[in-house]
Amino acid sequence: MALRQFARQSARSLGLRSDVSLAPALATRGMSTVIEGLKYMASHEWAKVDGDTVTVGITDHAQAELGDVVYVELPEVGSQVSAKSTFGVVESVKAASDVYSPISGEVVAVNEDLADSPGKVNEGAYTDGWMMKVKMTDPKELDALMDAKAYEASCDH
Amino acid sequence: MSLSQPANLVQLVRTSGLCILRQLRLEEKLLRSPGAGNWCLLNDGTPDRSVVLGISGKPHQLVDVRRALDDGVRVIKRFSGGGTVIVDRDTQFVTLVMNAAAVPDLALFPRQIMDWTGSLYGGRPHGVFADVPGWQLRENDYVIGERKVGGNAQSISKDRWLHHTSFLWDFREETMKYLTNPAKQPRYRANRSHSDFLAPLKTYLPDRNALATRIEAALEGMGLEVAPASIEQAEDAVAAFHRGSGVGTTGVVDLETALTLGPDDRAPMLTGA
């Protein structure tokens, strides 16, 4: 029951349709969540496509493995990012971990809340913990990303 | 470096008195050089006493900026996570820069890497401190009994990871005056001062060469193959990837500017330093 409610809340905040049929599509692997309708990288970033803009963050699996996030370094608005290249850094438990952009384009927004509240990455990896929004230069790059099922399978290897 | 070398080969470099800024910049380049192979850098002492902040370190929260500036103590911000250390000629540095393939079953996340290095240092029978009573990994610190003997940090990039440690072969209490007592502390520290919280490694090892000798044996005990190399070979290994580029975030903090900033401000960096 709690899982269905979580599914509805997550789906609404991501701008996805919220209906009961989404709840079974909200897969869990152990304690981590994978959301249908998003695209994923093997390095544990997610991408939500909205027209020519993509919102990017790290997955629930990644935040769970990283531990308490204490610092997030993000690119400047207006800068360019490249697919599969580093766009920022997440610090947790004495480790600085690079995060990678799923697509190329111009950064049009970053989540400034993470400067004072980096823990939002842990609390809502797919919602309040979003990191940047990118205006795509080549939508075909999305074809190289995984869907939820493929990402979930990659985490099991 | 030939890319046909075994995946578990670690090139081991032993230096003495290598400048910590040069070392950290090399480490960052090694981490970001995908074809550079696996490295273990062992450096016994750095000639210039320096404070080293982690990637998110805020000077005013961690350093007595005025005192450091007045006494000519350099403050460096490094690329890895973790806390603040003060290093000098009595600090012994151990750094691992590894491909994921060198330890194939190791998931590249902080806790898993920490567990692996915990085995390197404390596992029996080959661990570096296997014969030292009271050695343990505690709240991500290397401790003997209730006292910390080394600060460690990590950085993870693509399929490579780095773990570096600064061990206190010895230290002087007056050196600690450049550091403030950090607000965020491990529970076991119990708000102790630096001098009550830290312990010198010389209490537990027979001589300054012991750490390096034991590291080599411990790496082999973890299934790695070790081959000697020079610092010049390490610098050549990264040259191909970083020729002409200013890659790297490690640098020297601009203390004059830091004095004008507030407690929550990030470290301003000197350009060209």
Side-chain angles (χ1 to χ4, degrees), chain A residues 44 65-66 70-71 84 89 91-98 100, chain B residues 32 56 81-82 109 112 140-141 152 154-158 184 266:
Chain A
H44 310 291
E65 292 288 0
L66 287 173
V70 298
Y71 172 69
K84 301 180 191 175
V89 178
E91 184 186 3
S92 65
V93 197
K94 299 189 173 188
S97 302
D98 287 351
Y100 305 94
Chain B
R32 301 189 188 293
S56 62
F109 288 109
Q112 289 85 334
N140 301 309
D141 282 345
N152 68 79
Q154 301 180 50
S155 188
I156 304 165
S157 181
K158 284 205 163 77
K184 193 172 177 186
R266 300 278 168 209

Side-chain angles (χ1 to χ4, degrees), chain A residues 50-56 79-81 101 103-109 132-139 141:
Chain A
D50 187 1
D52 63 357
T53 301
V54 177
T55 304
V56 179
S79 62
Q80 297 289 322
V81 292
S101 181
I103 36 68
S104 305
E106 180 188 347
V107 177
V108 296
M132 68 171 180
K133 295 181 191 282
V134 178
K135 186 169 180 182
M136 288 186 285
T137 49
D138 184 2
E141 288 176 337

Side-chain angles (χ1 to χ4, degrees), chain B:
Chain B
M1 157 114 186
S2 166
L3 293 176
S4 63
Q5 291 186 355
N8 69 338
L9 177 69
V10 177
Q11 296 191 88
L12 190 144
V13 176
R14 287 185 69 165
T15 55
S16 180
L18 182 69
C19 166
I20 186 58
L21 182 59
R22 178 182 173 192
Q23 177 178 337
L24 286 170
R25 283 179 163 155
L26 172 60
E27 290 179 7
E28 187 174 3
K29 287 182 180 177
L30 281 170
L31 175 67
R32 301 189 188 293
S33 302
N38 308 310
W39 294 84
C40 177
L41 308 182
L42 305 174
N43 183 29
D44 186 1
T46 182
D48 300 325
R49 183 173 47 185
S50 304
V51 174
V52 184
L53 305 176
I55 188 172
S56 62
K58 296 174 180 175
H60 282 294
Q61 292 184 5
L62 300 164
V63 184
D64 186 332
V65 177
R66 168 52 73 188
R67 193 190 295 255
L69 185 61
D70 289 347
D71 293 354
V73 174
R74 185 174 55 181
V75 177
I76 295 168
K77 186 172 81 76
R78 65 181 188 265
F79 61 97
S80 59
T84 308
V85 293
I86 184 157
V87 299
D88 60 18
R89 63 180 187 273
D90 286 321
T91 309
Q92 296 190 306
F93 303 93
V94 180
T95 300
L96 293 168
V97 189
M98 306 284 278
N99 286 320
V103 188
D105 295 330
L106 180 63
L108 298 196
F109 288 109
R111 179 181 52 81
Q112 289 85 334
I113 294 172
M114 193 86 238
D115 286 345
W116 189 90
T117 59
S119 294
L120 175 74
Y121 285 112
R124 294 174 193 275
H126 303 290
V128 176
F129 300 103
D131 62 342
V132 177
W135 191 92
Q136 62 174 314
L137 175 61
R138 185 170 183 182
E139 294 182 61
N140 301 309
D141 282 345
Y142 297 135
V143 306
I144 298 177
E146 294 292 316
R147 292 184 177 233
K148 182 174 174 178
V149 294
N152 68 79
Q154 301 180 50
S155 188
I156 304 165
S157 181
K158 284 205 163 77
D159 293 325
R160 286 172 75 70
W161 57 273
L162 176 146
H163 180 95
H164 53 193
T165 308
S166 54
F167 287 101
L168 302 164
W169 174 254
D170 196 5
F171 67 92
R172 287 158 293 285
E173 189 169 335
E174 61 95 14
T175 305
M176 299 299 155
K177 68 187 177 189
Y178 298 102
L179 304 181
T180 60
N181 221 4
K184 193 172 177 186
Q185 301 185 357
R187 278 189 305 274
Y188 81 95
R189 180 167 180 163
N191 223 31
R192 287 177 281 167
S193 67
H194 285 100
S195 50
D196 288 336
F197 174 54
L198 303 171
L201 213 55
K202 68 178 186 179
T203 306
Y204 307 101
L205 295 181
D207 57 65
R208 288 187 80 115
N209 291 320
L211 184 62
T213 305
R214 290 171 175 228
I215 286 279
E216 186 167 346
L219 288 169
E220 289 170 345
M222 298 291 282
L224 298 166
E225 193 182 323
V226 179
S230 67
I231 191 73
E232 290 77 20
Q233 285 176 291
E235 289 176 331
D236 284 345
V238 302
F241 298 96
H242 304 288
R243 204 180 311 277
S245 75
V247 70
T249 58
T250 299
V252 181
V253 176
D254 180 350
L255 291 179
E256 297 263 12
T257 302
L259 271 182
T260 68
L261 301 178
D264 291 329
D265 288 324
R266 300 278 168 209
M269 305 303 289
L270 280 177
T271 53

